Amino acid sequence: MPLPLKPLDPSGLEGPFDLEAIGTGLAFADSVGELAAALLGGGTEGTAGSAVVQAPPGTGKTTLVPPLLANLAARAGTKEISPRVVVTQPRRVAARSAARRLAALDGSVLGDRVGYTVRGERSAGRNTMVEFVTPGILLRRLLVDPGLEAVDAVILDEVHERGLETDLLIGLLCEVRQLREDLTLVAMSATLDAPRFAALIGGSGAEGSGVGNNDGGGPVPVVDCPSALHPLHLAWTPLTGPRLDARGVTHAFLEHVAETAAAEHARALAGGLDIDALVFLPGVREVSSVAARLRDRADTGVEILELHGQAAPAVQVRAVSGRNPGDLPRIIVSTALAESSVTVPGVRLVVDSGLSREPRRDSNRGMSGLVTVSCSRASADQRAGRAARQGPGRVVRCYDQKAFGAAPAHQTPEIVVADLTGAALILACWGAPGGRGLALPDAPPQAAMEDALEVLRELGATGPDGFATELGRTLASIPADPRLARALLDGAAVVGPRTAGEAVALVAGDQRAPGADLLGLLGSLRTGKDPGSRRWAEDARRMETIARQVQTGQVPAGPAPSSVAGPARTPNRPVGLLGPGEAVGFVVALAFPDRVARRVPDSAQEQYLLSSGTRAGLPAGSPLSGHEWLAVAEVSRAQGREAAGTGAVIRSAPPISAEGAETAAGALLRDTVDARYSQGRVTARRERRLGAIVLSSTPVRPRLEQGRAAVAEALERDGLGTIGWSTAAEALRRRLALVHRQLGQPWPEVSEPALLARLDDWLAPELEALAIGAPAHTIDLTEPLRQLLPWPKAARLGELAPERLEVPSGSRVRIDYPAVEDDDGRPVVAVKLQECFGWAETPRLVDGRVPVLFHLLSPAGRPLAVTDDLSSFWAGPYSQVRAEMRGRYPKHPWPEDPWTARAAARTKARM
C-alpha cells in the first residue's frame, strides 16, 4: 500500500525555475509539494522516481510539473550539465503552446531554457532544460538512444487519450527505467483512469493490461489535484433530425451548431459578459463549415477563429493565446485538440457537438482511416469543463441526454482500432516483436498485429525472427508509414529523390486533398497557397535528404524483399518516360500496390476497383473523375452518393498510367488460366491480372488437369448434388455413416465436407470423365464410394449394416438407414405386423450397438405401432391393436398368442 505523502516544504524545491512565480493562480500549485515527495521516495518502496498525476484540464499540471522535475534533477546534482526534462504532448499545437506559455511565465526566450520539437520544426538548443515534443519524436529518439542518457525525466502528458504512440512509450519507458533507476517517469491524466497507469508503471500490472508487465513493487503514487471549476450551467439543445447520416455529419446539424453558438454567444455579450466561446466539432471539414456559417451570421464585433492541426502555426497561436486589451470577443471553432491538450484563455461558453473523429481499421477491405462517432462521456465532461476554468460558465450540448448516456464511458484506445504497421516496426526495432514482453495498457489485437508483421516482412523491414533488419531501422527513422518510407527509397531511383520526397511528404502530411485530388493539393503546396505549405516543404526536404543519403550509401537501403521483386519495385525505367504528374502516382503505387485502382467500365456511377478487390467511389465533382487508373493513398468506409454504392470512398489519390500501375505494383501481376465447370461443361480463359483487376481475358482450350481442377472446384462450391446421388449410392452412404458414427476409424466419414476433402481418394476417374465432357447423370457414385471402404474389414459391412433384414415370415425387408447428417437417427424396418409373430428379441445392428426401430404396419400398409422392443409390444399394446384390427381385417390372422403364432405375409385363406 502507498505510504502517506507528506508534501515537501517549497524551500526544498528551489532550482533553475521559480515555481512560486510560475504557479501563481494555478490550482496545481497546491499539489507540487506532494508530487515532489512522491518522486523523492515518499510513496511505495521501490517506486521512487515515478508517479501518476491526475488533474483536470486547466489546473496547470502541464505548466508546473516540467519545471518541478527540472528543479529536482538540478537538486540531485548527478550531472554537470543542465537538467533535461522531455514532455510529450499528443499534438503539435499543444507542444508549441505549452512551450510558449512556460517560457513566458519563466521570463525566458522560447528555445532557450524552454523549447519544443515537433515534426519539421524545432525551437530548442543545448541549454534547453524543458523540451516539449510529440510522442513520435520521442519514440524515434528512443530507437537511436535507448537509454536516453542525456535526459533526467520524461513526462507523458494526456495519457488518458490513449494515443497509440503514447501507449508504446509507456511500455518502452518502463523497460528503460529497469536499466536507469535515475530516470524520472511521470504520466499525467485528466480522467479517473490514473490508478490503472500507476499499476502499469509500477510493474504490478492492471486488469486488462497488455502483453507483459515489469517486475516491480506495486503501483506508483497517484498525486491528485482537485478540480478548480467554477459553477457550470448545463443546457441541452438537440436537433430534431439526426447528427450523422450515410455521408457523415449532416448539413442540418452543422447549421444547428452554428446557429446555437452564435445565439448563445450573442446572449452572453448582451448580458454584459465579455467572454469567448469554444465550439467543439469532430474534424477540419466541420470546423471550416461552421466557422464559415458563423462569419455569415455573427455580429461584426466578434472574431471567428479556427483551431485544428491543419491550421497555420500563427493561426493556432492566435487561437490558444489570451485576448489583448481592445481585442474583439471570439468564437473559437475547434476539433478535439482543445479538449485537454491546450487551454484556451477567456472561454466561459462551450458549445459541444458531441462528436469526435477516431481511427478505425477495416481488415476485410484493407482500409484504415478516421470515422465520425459520438464522443465518450469522459470527453464530453472535459469539453464542458473548459467553460468553468476562469469563472462561472455555461455548456450547451447540441444533442440530447439519451445520446450522452448511450456514448462509451471512455475513448476507444487507438491500439485496438488502428493500423499497426508503424507500431509493429517500432516494436521490432526495440527488440519486442509484436509487443512481446512489454507492459502495454492494452494488448494489440492479434489479427491486426499479424497483418502488420506480414507487411513488414514483405517490405524487408523484419527478418524471419521478427526483429528489425538494417533496412527496417532505416525505415523507422523516416517520419512516415513504413510503406511510404520504403516507397521513398525505391521511388527515388526512378523519379529522383526530390520528387519522391515531395510525394511521400504529401501523403504523410495531414492536409486534406480537395475532391480527393492529390495532385491538386500538391499544386497548392508548391505555390504556397495552402496554409501547410511551409511545413510540407520542410518535410519534403527532409525526405529528399534521406533518399539521397541512401543513394550515396550513407544509410543502408537493404535488399529488395523476396515477396516484392526488386525489378517490380525499383524498375530500371528512365525518369523522362513518366508522364506529367505520373511520378506522384508512381510513388504512391509503390507504397500501396494493393490500392492501385481501375475505373469499372459501364458502371452507372463512378466506381473504381482496387487491386485488393475493394470497390470504392469518388467524391462528387472530383477532378479525378474519368481517369482510367488511380494510385489510391487513402480510402475509407462511407455510404451515400459519394460511395457510389460500394460502401467505400477514395479520399486521396493521384492519377497513374496503366504502364506505371503495372510497373509499381508488379508483384501483383499474375498470368493464369481460369477454368470453370458450369452446365455440364468446362470452359477456360487466360487472364492477366493485377491483383483483383483483370487486365485481359481470352478464351483458351483447357488442359485435362485444369478441367479436372475446375470440376473439383465446382463440386466444392456447389456440393456433390451437382452429380447427384443414385438410390443405391445414397443407401450405401447412409450405411457407412451409421457404421462410422458407432465404430469410428477406419470406417470412413461420408459427410459432404469429408467427401469433398478427399475427392482424389475416391472420385479421381469420375472427375476426369466430367472434365472431358461426360454428362453428370451418367456418373453413379456407388462404386466410387466403395473405394473408401477399409480393407479387409470391408467384408463385414453386410454384417454390420445389412441392406435387408430377414423377418420370421421369411421375407427380406429393406432397412431404411438414417440420413447422413442425422446423428441421432435410427435404422428403420417397415413390415406388416403378421410377419413378425414369434419374434421376441429385437435385432440389433453394428455389433449389437444399434437396435432396429420397427414400424409395424396393417395389412393395408398403414402404421399400427412404432417400437424398438418387440417383447414389450407383444406383452402389452398388441392386445389393443388386435381388438381394433381383427374386425377390419378378418381374413388376416390376429391370434391371441403372438408368441407361438406362425408368421406369414398372406391371409388365412392362403396360409
Side-chain angles (χ1 to χ4, degrees):
M1 293 293 292
L3 300 174
L5 296 177
K6 181 180 180 181
L8 293 183
D9 188 287
S11 61
L13 305 179
E14 295 178 352
F17 290 96
D18 186 346
L19 298 180
E20 185 176 357
I22 293 173
T24 301
L26 297 178
F28 195 78
D30 295 334
S31 301
V32 166
E34 183 181 352
L35 176 58
L39 295 175
L40 294 175
T44 304
E45 182 180 356
T47 63
S50 296
V52 172
V53 172
Q54 178 178 290
T59 51
K61 63 182 183 298
T62 304
T63 302
L64 268 173
V65 175
L68 166 64
L69 266 59
N71 283 5
L72 293 179
R75 176 186 179 211
T78 57
K79 298 178 181 176
E80 296 181 0
I81 60 175
S82 300
R84 188 80 172 205
V85 177
V86 176
V87 189
T88 65
Q89 291 292 323
R91 300 171 182 87
R92 285 172 287 185
V93 60
R96 295 191 199 98
S97 175
R100 284 191 176 92
R101 175 169 172 76
L102 180 55
L105 293 174
D106 181 49
S108 59
V109 177
L110 180 64
D112 185 14
R113 289 155 55 90
V114 180
Y116 67 88
T117 301
V118 298
R119 192 181 71 195
E121 188 177 352
R122 177 175 171 81
S123 180
R126 294 180 59 185
N127 297 326
T128 299
M129 288 180 277
V130 174
E131 182 186 15
F132 292 86
V133 302
T134 51
I137 296 292
L138 183 54
L139 279 172
R140 286 178 173 82
R141 287 184 184 176
L142 274 168
L143 297 184
V144 176
D145 177 18
L148 293 179
E149 299 300 334
V151 176
D152 296 281
V154 175
I155 301 171
L156 303 178
D157 203 358
E158 315 294 0
V159 295
H160 63 275
E161 292 193 10
R162 299 305 310 280
L164 175 56
E165 292 178 328
T166 300
D167 276 7
L168 293 179
L169 282 173
I170 291 175
L172 270 56
L173 289 170
C174 283
E175 284 201 348
V176 173
R177 285 206 75 245
Q178 292 180 0
L179 304 176
R180 275 197 58 195
E181 294 182 355
D182 63 320
L183 179 67
T184 300
L185 177 59
V186 174
M188 300 203 295
S189 173
T191 67
L192 298 178
D193 211 19
R196 182 184 187 193
F197 293 103
L200 194 65
I201 294 173
S204 61
E207 184 179 354
S209 64
V211 183
N213 291 307
N214 300 322
D215 296 326
V220 301
V222 175
V223 177
D224 195 6
C225 175
S227 173
L229 286 179
H230 294 273
L232 179 67
H233 180 266
L234 172 62
W236 305 85
T237 61
L239 180 70
T240 54
R243 289 184 293 172
L244 299 171
D245 61 13
R247 301 182 64 182
V249 184
T250 65
H251 291 292
F253 182 67
L254 293 177
E255 183 69 22
H256 173 65
V257 173
E259 182 177 344
T260 301
E264 290 285 343
H265 193 233
R267 186 179 301 115
L269 296 178
L273 295 176
D274 184 19
I275 63 171
D276 292 343
L278 180 59
V279 183
F280 283 102
L281 288 155
V284 176
R285 182 181 71 85
E286 294 81 12
V287 165
S288 298
S289 176
V290 169
R293 286 174 163 87
L294 285 170
R295 293 186 185 102
D296 290 339
R297 62 164 37 91
D299 186 83
T300 54
V302 175
E303 183 181 14
I304 309 299
L305 295 174
E306 298 181 29
L307 180 57
H308 50 74
Q310 295 182 24
V315 175
Q316 295 175 355
V317 171
R318 170 72 176 150
V320 300
S321 300
R323 272 197 279 154
N324 296 317
D327 286 350
L328 297 175
R330 306 180 303 174
I331 300 179
I332 299 143
V333 189
S334 174
T335 59
L337 68 82
E339 185 177 297
S340 60
S341 298
V342 297
T343 296
V344 183
V347 170
R348 298 268 295 281
L349 169 65
V350 166
V351 177
D352 185 13
S353 68
L355 299 173
S356 66
R357 198 146 288 163
E358 297 182 3
R360 290 292 186 273
R361 174 180 175 272
D362 187 339
S363 58
N364 294 328
R365 291 175 179 254
M367 299 183 300
S368 60
L370 299 175
V371 298
T372 303
V373 296
S374 293
C375 72
S376 67
R377 298 195 298 275
S379 294
D381 290 340
Q382 288 183 57
R383 294 177 181 185
R386 287 300 189 183
R389 298 295 173 212
Q390 297 173 305
R394 175 177 172 84
V395 58
V396 180
R397 288 176 173 158
C398 298
Y399 53 104
D400 57 26
Q401 292 166 285
K402 182 178 179 182
F404 176 81
H410 298 281
Q411 185 174 345
T412 304
E414 191 175 352
I415 196 172
V416 176
V417 293
D419 182 282
L420 299 180
T421 307
L425 180 56
I426 290 172
L427 293 171
C429 291
W430 186 255
R436 187 168 61 238
L438 283 184
L440 298 173
D442 281 284
Q446 183 176 356
M449 182 55 74
E450 288 177 354
D451 289 346
L453 294 173
E454 178 61 26
V455 170
L456 295 180
R457 285 191 290 268
E458 291 178 356
L459 293 176
T462 56
D465 55 2
F467 292 95
T469 60
E470 286 190 24
L471 170 62
R473 294 187 177 277
T474 300
L475 298 182
S477 69
I478 301 175
D481 180 281
R483 288 161 289 204
L484 277 172
R486 176 80 206 212
L488 170 69
L489 306 185
D490 293 340
V494 180
V495 303
R498 179 176 181 178
T499 302
E502 288 185 338
V504 170
L506 180 68
V507 178
D510 53 11
Q511 298 92 345
R512 174 67 71 182
D517 181 15
L518 208 57
L519 288 185
L521 174 61
L522 179 60
S524 298
L525 292 168
R526 281 174 170 169
T527 59
K529 294 180 180 179
D530 190 279
S533 296
R534 184 176 61 86
R535 188 172 67 230
W536 168 79
E538 292 172 349
D539 289 345
R541 282 193 294 270
R542 184 164 58 255
M543 299 292 182
E544 178 186 354
T545 300
I546 294 172
R548 292 192 185 280
Q549 289 174 341
V550 171
Q551 286 186 339
T552 58
Q554 299 178 49
V555 178
S562 58
S563 61
V564 184
R569 293 193 61 92
T570 54
N572 185 18
R573 183 186 183 200
V575 179
L577 294 183
L578 291 174
E582 188 182 345
V584 175
F586 185 77
V587 174
V588 172
L590 282 175
F592 307 109
D594 57 322
R595 299 183 196 167
V596 169
R598 187 181 189 182
R599 190 174 185 273
V600 178
D602 303 324
S603 57
Q605 296 172 296
E606 196 84 345
Q607 290 187 6
Y608 281 81
L609 175 63
L610 278 64
S611 56
S612 64
T614 293
R615 289 195 177 211
L618 275 176
S622 171
L624 298 174
S625 179
H627 281 282
E628 180 72 10
W629 288 87
L630 300 175
V632 178
E634 182 183 355
V635 59
S636 61
R637 296 173 61 181
Q639 299 296 330
R641 185 175 62 181
E642 65 179 4
T646 64
V649 64
I650 296 170
R651 297 295 185 191
S652 177
I656 189 173
S657 68
E659 181 187 2
E662 292 182 28
T663 305
L668 300 180
L669 280 172
R670 299 289 184 271
D671 193 341
T672 60
V673 173
D674 182 24
R676 295 180 180 274
Y677 179 76
S678 177
Q679 297 180 344
R681 60 189 295 265
V682 176
T683 58
R685 301 187 71 87
R686 179 178 295 279
E687 292 187 341
R688 189 167 177 268
R689 289 176 171 265
L690 186 67
I693 302 172
V694 178
L695 302 176
S696 63
S697 178
T698 56
V700 295
R701 181 186 297 277
R703 297 194 301 270
L704 179 60
E705 60 270 22
Q706 293 170 340
R708 186 178 178 281
V711 173
E713 181 182 352
L715 293 179
E716 292 171 0
R717 181 183 66 249
D718 303 326
L720 290 166
T722 302
I723 299 176
W725 294 95
S726 66
T727 301
E730 179 63 20
L732 174 59
R733 184 177 172 223
R734 291 187 176 203
R735 293 165 62 200
L736 288 173
L738 179 67
V739 176
H740 174 77
R741 277 197 295 271
Q742 298 300 320
L743 302 181
Q745 295 296 334
W747 295 95
E749 183 182 354
V750 289
S751 66
E752 182 114 333
L755 291 176
L756 290 173
R758 300 181 58 188
L759 287 176
D760 288 340
D761 294 343
W762 67 288
L763 203 59
E766 287 72 20
L767 293 180
E768 293 189 1
L770 292 169
I772 61 176
H777 66 82
T778 64
I779 304 295
D780 188 345
L781 296 179
T782 305
E783 287 307 313
L785 201 58
R786 291 187 184 277
Q787 302 300 317
L788 294 174
L789 291 174
W791 298 96
K793 291 190 176 183
R796 292 197 64 212
L797 179 61
E799 172 192 343
L800 297 172
E803 294 183 66
R804 294 180 174 273
L805 182 67
E806 185 173 350
V807 297
S809 66
S811 299
R812 293 181 55 80
V813 183
R814 180 172 59 85
I815 302 174
D816 290 326
Y817 285 89
V820 174
E821 298 79 14
D822 187 359
D823 292 339
D824 298 322
R826 303 272 292 282
V828 173
V829 169
V831 61
K832 291 181 181 180
L833 182 148
Q834 284 81 3
E835 296 196 57
C836 297
F837 288 150
W839 209 351
E841 185 176 351
T842 301
R844 305 175 73 89
L845 308 181
V846 196
D847 285 339
R849 287 176 168 81
V850 184
V852 173
L853 185 65
F854 281 90
H855 288 194
L856 300 176
L857 309 178
S858 71
R862 295 186 178 89
L864 294 177
V866 176
T867 183
D868 62 359
D869 187 349
L870 289 173
S871 178
S872 297
F873 173 75
W874 299 130
Y878 170 72
S879 60
Q880 182 178 352
V881 171
R882 176 176 179 271
E884 294 177 358
M885 293 293 108
R886 61 186 300 192
R888 184 176 300 179
Y889 299 101
K891 292 184 178 182
H892 291 76
W894 300 97
E896 291 188 26
D897 182 9
W899 303 95
T900 58
R902 178 185 174 190
R906 301 180 178 183
T907 63
K908 296 176 182 178
R910 301 178 61 189
M911 290 175 59

